[in-house]
């Protein structure tokens, strides 16, 4: 990793406090494109550091930016894994993480996708905390785009796993409640979320049918999103009181679907 924090280093040894201004982290192969930036990073160490124990009390970030750029040739600005010993990395020894404003910018040129989160507030501890959007986010896939107006949840982080409870997500197409966990600081990050919500069938269908007529109606769903973070699968139960398309309609429909990066499989339809 390449750390650029040349502007200012602050420290108070008696209080076990360290601060870095204008922090930029890049990978050696990242072509000078940082994957993390922050105007200021403040770290409160525990007294145990004097005995060789790396226990971090608080970490506070001001105006942080996480940028992921996957180029058309498959390379990215992220650090590459060296393989290590094949085991999980050590958990992050942080008791509290607070980010007053977090911006996330993910651009995947290879798959023509983009995620833009202008502002999110993050406050995480081992037994309490929260995450919430403070400005709407946008997701684009090809020529299709949606706005996420709401994303909030009670959240905890134990140094390895982010757990969410009472989560609420609202986009142009759907309103979703979610609970579960994301294992992040492991060799193979994964997700396991229970979801439940409602959606607009016409708007959802546009993601797979950008041109022409689409079915109309409303649906309710519940199920699980689980698997590797890079390629999760969604097992969903769907119900709709009425779906109409091209002068035809159907009522009281029930279906069970399995969705993944390879497509959507209809397991049952009644």
């Amino acid at each position: 990793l390449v750390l650029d924090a040349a502007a200012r280093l602050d420290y108070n040894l008696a209080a076990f406090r360290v601060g870095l201004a204008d922090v930029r982290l890049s990978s050696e192969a990242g072509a000078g494109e940082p994957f993390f930036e922050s105007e200021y990073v403040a770290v409160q160490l525990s007294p145990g550091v004097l005995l060789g124990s790396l226990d971090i009390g608080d970490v506070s970030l001001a105006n942080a930016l996480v940028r992921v750029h996957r180029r058309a040739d498959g390379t990215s600005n992220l650090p590459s894994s060296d393989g290590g010993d094949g085991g999980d990395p050590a958990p992050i020894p942080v008791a509290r993480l607070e980010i007053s404003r977090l911006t996330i910018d993910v651009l995947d040129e290879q798959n023509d996708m983009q995620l833009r989160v202008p502002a999110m507030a993050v406050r995480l501890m081992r037994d309490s905390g929260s995450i919430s959007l403070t400005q709407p986010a946008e997701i684009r896939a090809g020529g299709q785009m949606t706005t996420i107006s709401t994303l909030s949840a009670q959240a905890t982080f134990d140094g390895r796993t982010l757990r969410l409870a009472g989560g609420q997500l609202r986009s142009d197409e759907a309103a979703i409640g979610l609970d579960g966990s994301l294992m992040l600081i492991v060799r193979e990050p994964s997700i396991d979320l229970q979801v439940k919500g409602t959606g607009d069938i016409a708007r959802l269908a546009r993601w797979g049918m950008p041109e022409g007529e689409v079915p109309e109606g409303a649906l309710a769903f519940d199920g699980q999103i689980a698997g590797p973070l890079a390629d999760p699968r969604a097992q969903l139960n769907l119900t709709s009181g009425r779906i109409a398309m091209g002068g035809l309609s159907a009522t009281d429909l029930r279906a069970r679907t399995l969705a993944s990066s390879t497509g959507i499989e209809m397991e049952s339809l009644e």
Side-chain angles (χ1 to χ4, degrees):
L1 297 179
V2 179
L3 170 63
D4 178 7
R8 188 174 80 249
L9 168 65
D10 303 321
Y11 59 91
N12 184 327
L13 296 181
F16 300 100
R17 287 198 299 267
V18 179
L20 288 172
D22 298 327
V23 175
R24 293 159 58 94
L25 273 176
S26 307
S27 67
E28 293 184 357
E33 186 176 15
F35 62 86
F36 173 79
E37 301 180 32
S38 181
E39 286 186 4
Y40 196 79
V41 177
V43 178
Q44 176 72 57
L45 300 172
S46 72
V49 72
L50 298 176
L51 302 176
S53 175
L54 182 58
D55 291 324
I56 302 173
D58 295 344
V59 174
S60 299
L61 309 179
N63 290 330
L65 165 65
V66 173
R67 180 189 294 110
V68 179
H69 183 190
R70 186 182 187 190
R71 307 178 188 93
D73 61 5
T75 62
S76 80
N77 66 322
L78 295 176
S80 60
S81 173
D82 59 8
D85 59 4
D88 290 335
I92 299 175
V94 176
R96 171 175 168 158
L97 171 64
E98 185 153 2
I99 309 175
S100 57
R101 180 189 175 105
L102 172 63
T103 298
I104 301 173
D105 192 355
V106 179
L107 176 60
D108 185 344
E109 294 179 353
Q110 196 170 60
N111 294 304
D112 194 18
M113 299 175 65
Q114 186 170 22
L115 165 66
R116 173 70 177 169
V117 181
M120 172 178 280
V122 177
R123 184 173 178 267
L124 296 174
M125 292 173 281
R126 291 187 176 95
D127 56 2
S128 63
S130 63
I131 60 172
S132 61
L133 284 179
T134 55
Q135 291 183 29
E138 292 183 344
I139 298 176
R140 180 188 61 80
Q144 192 68 23
M145 180 176 291
T146 189
T147 298
I148 300 175
S149 57
T150 301
L151 174 59
S152 63
Q154 298 300 306
T156 62
F157 182 63
D158 62 5
R160 191 182 296 280
T161 302
L162 175 66
R163 291 182 170 84
L164 306 176
Q168 298 292 326
L169 184 151
R170 184 176 295 274
S171 71
D172 295 338
E173 299 85 359
I176 306 171
L178 51 88
D179 296 88
S181 62
L182 292 85
M183 293 191 67
L184 302 175
I185 312 302
V186 292
R187 187 169 181 267
E188 297 182 358
S190 62
I191 183 173
D192 186 357
L193 292 178
Q194 298 293 324
V195 297
K196 183 177 183 178
T198 58
D200 183 299
I201 293 175
R203 290 185 172 186
L204 290 167
R206 279 297 176 207
W207 287 86
M209 305 166 62
E211 303 292 339
E213 189 177 8
V214 293
E216 297 182 349
L219 63 80
F221 59 87
D222 66 82
Q224 181 185 35
I225 301 173
L229 194 59
D231 189 20
R233 308 180 83 188
Q235 186 103 41
L236 299 175
N237 302 306
L238 312 175
T239 61
S240 178
R242 183 177 183 273
I243 298 177
M245 182 175 179
L248 301 176
S249 65
T251 59
D252 297 327
L253 293 175
R254 298 178 181 272
R256 185 174 177 85
T257 64
L258 178 63
S260 67
S261 60
T262 59
I264 299 177
E265 177 184 346
M266 188 74 68
E267 296 185 332
S268 66
L269 177 62
E270 300 176 6

